[in-house]
Amino acid sequence: APGTFVHARVAPLGDRHVLLLVEDMTQARRVEAVRRDFVANVSHELKTPVGGLGLLAEAVLDARDDPEAVTRFATRMQVESQRLSSLVKEIVDLSRLQGAEVLSTAQRVDIERVVDEALDHLRVTANARRISLADKCADELYVLGDHALLVTAIRNLVGNAIAYSDEGTRVGVGARLVGEMVEITVTDQGPGIPEHEQERIFERFYRIDAARSRATGGTGLGLAIVKHVCANHGGDISVWSEPGEGSTFTVRLPAAPETIAAHREQDQSG
Ligand code: ADP
């Protein structure tokens, strides 16, 4: 097939025969290309904060006779180094997720608890920006997977909804069973995402407005992490958005069998 990469080897086999070994290396090559790209992206992204820290250190040395300036530069160094450490954490998370096609161990995860925990982490940030956070989860929604990874995914989505929306707006989170899938939605009244950007935002390090993303402490990895978490759970993520009208991100995960059974019973009894 076009784009296929094969590797062939020939070895003599006795006097009258040769052994021809043909291997399809397409997948291995693809994995290697993704890895090389990732390393290139990472080094590019690390250069900016590391360079910034170097400049700030020089500024501290130059200003050593001016205590106020020293405090100012040192505070900025602190902010930069915090950003650097969250970037490194996200890079490690993402490279682990990229390496695993599916989860090695899956446990029963309660989606209501996942949403509660994700929102708890973000209430202070939402309050500071006067954004109201509301959630509505159906009872007894379970998936098989990793609780901590799912909290990270929902937290990234709600964190973005808060970060990119104006003060005084509303962010809503909902969860329900649709067919055999648990659907979790995160809706905001923010600026929205133009249609031609809607696929690209899930690529690692892709940002529509890099300056705005950095100003909100963004790394450009949040949605790539969400996408991988969903894939590792056998699910997916999609976005609906209309510029000026906000965005809705929808995560779909296969429901645990007991969830489907429990909801079927509820449907029959009422
Ligand atoms: P970042 O760390 O920059 O937020 P993400 O991968 O989480 O990285 O998101 C990628 C880009 O998608 C963001 O930089 C932003 O431009 C856009 N984006 C993500 N979520 C939203 C949202 N709720 N509303 C508007 N734009 C968004």
Side-chain angles (χ1 to χ4, degrees):
T4 308
F5 177 75
V6 288
H7 185 243
R9 266 181 291 177
V10 185
L13 203 68
D15 290 339
R16 301 179 52 199
H17 295 92
V18 289
L19 177 69
L20 174 64
L21 193 68
V22 182
E23 269 180 288
D24 181 353
M25 303 287 285
T26 316
Q27 183 58 18
R29 266 223 155 171
R30 216 170 272 150
V31 169
E32 175 56 20
V34 167
R35 199 194 59 79
R36 226 180 304 127
D37 257 25
F38 186 55
V39 172
N41 284 161
V42 164
S43 21
H44 176 80
E45 293 293 326
L46 288 176
K47 264 184 204 152
T48 313
V50 170
L53 276 173
L55 289 176
L56 285 165
E58 269 175 40
V60 169
L61 288 175
D62 288 345
R64 60 189 148 229
D65 300 329
D66 178 353
E68 252 176 50
V70 168
T71 310
R72 209 168 52 238
F73 292 134
T75 310
R76 281 181 52 199
M77 286 180 84
Q78 232 170 9
V79 172
E80 281 299 314
S81 82
Q82 263 157 17
R83 177 167 307 171
L84 195 55
S85 77
S86 62
L87 179 60
V88 169
K89 185 189 170 296
E90 292 202 332
I91 289 169
V92 172
D93 284 352
L94 187 57
S95 71
R96 277 206 194 115
L97 287 167
Q98 286 183 154
E101 294 282 300
V102 281
L103 296 168
S104 48
T105 57
Q107 270 155 10
R108 197 177 81 136
V109 180
D110 180 345
I111 292 301
E112 197 171 13
R113 275 190 48 218
V114 167
V115 170
D116 281 349
E117 210 173 305
L119 295 187
D120 279 347
H121 285 290
L122 292 161
R123 282 197 206 284
V124 176
T125 325
N127 284 344
R129 308 209 51 236
R130 293 194 307 107
I131 288 177
S132 73
L133 266 183
D135 68 287
K136 193 165 185 281
C137 294
D139 290 334
E140 291 186 71
L141 289 181
Y142 299 102
V143 303
L144 295 177
D146 183 309
H147 177 87
L149 284 180
L150 291 171
V151 172
T152 302
I154 303 305
R155 197 169 142 182
N156 286 356
L157 291 176
V158 180
N160 280 347
I162 295 170
Y164 295 105
S165 297
D166 284 337
E167 292 210 352
T169 57
R170 178 179 180 280
V171 170
V173 184
R176 61 190 184 130
L177 185 72
V178 178
E180 303 201 335
M181 304 296 271
V182 171
E183 240 185 50
I184 310 166
T185 52
V186 177
T187 302
D188 66 52
Q189 300 172 320
I193 299 155
E195 200 178 338
H196 67 279
E197 305 272 21
Q198 289 176 11
E199 238 177 83
R200 301 216 63 194
I201 54 173
F202 296 100
E203 293 170 17
R204 53 187 188 230
F205 297 119
Y206 189 82
R207 304 143 168 136
I208 298 173
D209 177 348
R212 171 141 197 199
S213 159
R214 284 209 184 88
T216 58
T219 59
L221 289 178
L223 289 178
I225 290 176
V226 179
K227 188 176 161 184
H228 280 282
V229 170
C230 292
N232 292 1
H233 281 78
D236 59 25
I237 170 137
S238 57
V239 61
W240 173 92
S241 183
E242 196 72 68
E245 300 211 2
S247 312
T248 296
F249 286 84
T250 304
V251 166
R252 297 172 72 239
L253 306 167
E258 63 206 279
T259 293
I260 299 168
H263 284 253
R264 199 168 290 141
E265 268 169 35
Q266 281 168 19
D267 288 348
Q268 279 164 4
S269 65

